[in-house]
Amino acid sequence: MVTTTVGVIRESDPHENRVSLTPEITTKLTSQSITVLVEHGAGAQALIPDSEYEAAGASIVTRTDLFSRCDVVTCINAPNEESRTLMREQQILIGLLQPQQDAELVTQLCQRKVSAISLDLLPRQLSRAQSMDALSSQANIAGYKAVLVAANSYGRYFPMLTTAAGTSTPARVLVLGTGVAGLSAIGTARRLGAIVTAYDVRPQARGEVESLGAKFLKLSSVDSAEGSGGYARALTQQEKQAQQQELSDHISKFDIVITTAKVPGGPPPQLVTEAALDAMQPGSVVVDMAAGPWGGNVALSKANETVTVSDNVIVIGNDNLASDMAPAASHTYARNIAAMLRHVLADGEPSIDATDDITSATLVTHDGATVSPAVTVADDASAVVTSEGPAS
């Protein structure tokens, strides 16, 4: 009997600690007569030793051996240059490939005739795709972690505490963007005892915010930016400027600001200006969850750095906070990968059905051609204000 071989590569990004499959999922795959190969050390940063994969039925191999033998290769981020040269025709690659940001990757995948499936292109409004929704599973963890990072840098209490020495006032937290990450941040900050306010350009977000016990900030400058499928539409330049100005007037009232507004394939919108940072109180903390190669939601924020700006305001830039909780994030991501594997392994063998709505949306390259329209997203997509769209 011919069996499918699935490979798990070690991530090459020094800031990436997650792994795409865990021993739990490996056990399920091997029980279905699927061969699993794991690159040596793939799970080390997620605190998973090679021995646990071996106990789950996997074989530990070199990267070269893995690519030469696997039908399907799983990853978190797109493979590096070395790995791309090892990919071969009809191999299936599954991960958060972000093809809109890497034209060279798409070209190389076409040249190698690799069938590349990018989970960040998943049509999240489809109910049957929810188990594959890696963006949501990782955003939920990142939103939680963002609050913990903020609390660790904030020099005061989050909750109101009454002691013999007096009463401390609770922290005032503002969350900008109420997609999955934003809602997770709201819930976490509330559980820590903070007074939480949140803002989103989608009017229906108000009910979600208030159901978590937070206050919804309504701006008069942008009445509604409702888009299709529960996502926000792009703001006009005039709306963006008015939004920034009105937000700046409110931001100075908060001790902690968490921004979550990412844009797939484009630069994120700036929501917190230098003027807003200047108006914040000393010791205030801003966590920019969109800070990356193309900038962030916060002026002066830098990817993977913590900087002190203005009058001792701390700005933390990190668009990959899920990686800082690698064991938990790998656990949920592996389940997303397992769901996608069930989808593409029809009758236990690799099968790419380009007419399927999930496959057609996530398939970037196939048979030597680029098949995804998402790699040609318009430049003005950066005007979108919310990060992940509707909470799932």
Side-chain angles (χ1 to χ4, degrees):
M1 181 178 67
V2 177
T3 62
T4 297
T5 302
V6 174
V8 183
I9 63 172
R10 185 178 69 245
E11 297 298 315
S12 55
D13 185 339
H15 299 291
E16 185 57 74
N17 301 315
R18 295 170 292 177
V19 64
S20 57
L21 283 181
T22 58
E24 175 200 16
I25 299 302
T26 299
T27 298
K28 293 180 179 179
L29 294 177
T30 55
S31 68
Q32 299 166 14
S33 298
I34 293 174
T35 299
V36 178
L37 304 182
V38 179
E39 183 181 355
H40 173 67
Q45 295 301 106
L47 307 182
I48 305 172
D50 289 345
S51 58
E52 290 192 17
Y53 285 107
E54 290 178 312
S59 297
I60 306 301
V61 299
T62 65
R63 179 169 300 195
T64 301
D65 193 19
L66 185 147
F67 276 99
S68 68
R69 295 169 57 187
C70 286
D71 304 297
V72 182
V73 176
T74 67
C75 59
I76 303 288
N77 305 303
N80 63 7
E81 288 294 332
E82 175 194 353
S83 296
R84 295 177 195 183
T85 63
L86 298 173
M87 293 185 293
R88 55 186 174 76
E89 187 172 338
Q90 295 187 336
Q91 204 162 49
I92 298 175
L93 177 68
I94 304 176
L96 293 168
L97 307 179
Q98 301 186 67
Q100 300 133 309
Q101 299 183 27
D102 195 342
E104 185 177 355
L105 168 68
V106 177
T107 299
Q108 291 170 327
L109 292 171
C110 286
Q111 291 172 343
R112 296 271 169 183
K113 294 188 177 181
V114 173
S115 296
I117 294 175
S118 194
L119 295 179
D120 46 300
L121 302 179
L122 192 77
R124 304 164 79 186
Q125 70 274 19
L126 293 178
S127 58
R128 70 188 187 94
Q130 289 183 0
S131 61
M132 310 171 198
D133 190 355
L135 285 183
S136 289
S137 74
Q138 302 307 289
N140 185 55
I141 293 171
Y144 167 83
K145 185 64 175 181
V147 176
L148 301 187
V149 168
N152 188 57
S153 296
Y154 184 57
R156 298 178 176 83
Y157 290 113
F158 256 52
M160 181 178 70
L161 291 178
T162 301
T163 69
T167 300
S168 66
T169 57
R172 296 160 298 177
V173 176
L174 175 64
V175 178
L176 299 179
T178 62
V180 178
L183 293 176
S184 179
I186 292 168
T188 304
R190 285 281 297 150
R191 287 191 291 273
L192 289 179
I195 297 174
V196 184
T197 302
Y199 166 72
D200 199 293
V201 293
R202 298 170 299 132
Q204 78 273 22
R206 179 169 190 158
E208 297 172 324
V209 168
E210 293 177 344
S211 70
L212 292 173
K215 178 182 177 182
F216 188 78
L217 177 64
K218 190 176 188 308
L219 302 185
S220 59
S221 55
V222 182
D223 182 49
S224 173
E226 178 86 30
S228 60
Y231 290 80
R233 64 167 173 80
L235 298 183
T236 65
Q237 189 62 34
Q238 182 178 4
E239 286 176 322
K240 285 192 290 183
Q241 291 175 348
Q243 179 195 61
Q244 284 182 341
Q245 179 58 54
E246 194 170 357
L247 275 176
S248 295
D249 295 339
H250 288 280
I251 285 170
S252 62
K253 303 172 186 175
F254 294 91
D255 305 303
I256 292 168
V257 177
I258 296 173
T259 68
T260 72
K262 294 182 180 181
V263 174
Q270 186 179 106
L271 303 178
V272 181
T273 63
E274 287 190 50
L277 292 173
D278 288 339
M280 297 183 77
Q281 293 298 308
S284 299
V285 178
V286 181
V287 179
D288 186 354
M289 295 180 62
W294 289 345
N297 298 147
V298 182
L300 307 180
S301 70
K302 298 180 179 180
N304 302 308
E305 289 189 31
T306 297
V307 296
T308 301
V309 303
S310 187
D311 191 11
N312 290 314
V313 174
I314 300 169
V315 177
I316 302 169
N318 194 326
D319 68 344
N320 191 20
L321 283 166
S323 177
D324 292 343
M325 293 186 61
S330 299
H331 175 75
T332 57
Y333 184 84
R335 293 188 173 189
N336 300 139
I337 288 286
M340 180 56 78
L341 285 173
R342 288 193 296 270
H343 184 70
V344 300
L345 298 181
D347 299 321
E349 295 185 14
S351 176
I352 299 295
D353 179 6
T355 64
D356 176 81
D357 48 3
I358 292 177
T359 303
S360 63
T362 57
L363 190 62
V364 181
T365 61
H366 183 59
D367 283 342
T370 302
V371 296
S372 172
V375 298
T376 57
V377 168
D379 291 339
D380 62 3
S382 59
V384 179
V385 174
T386 52
S387 51
E388 314 90 358
S392 57

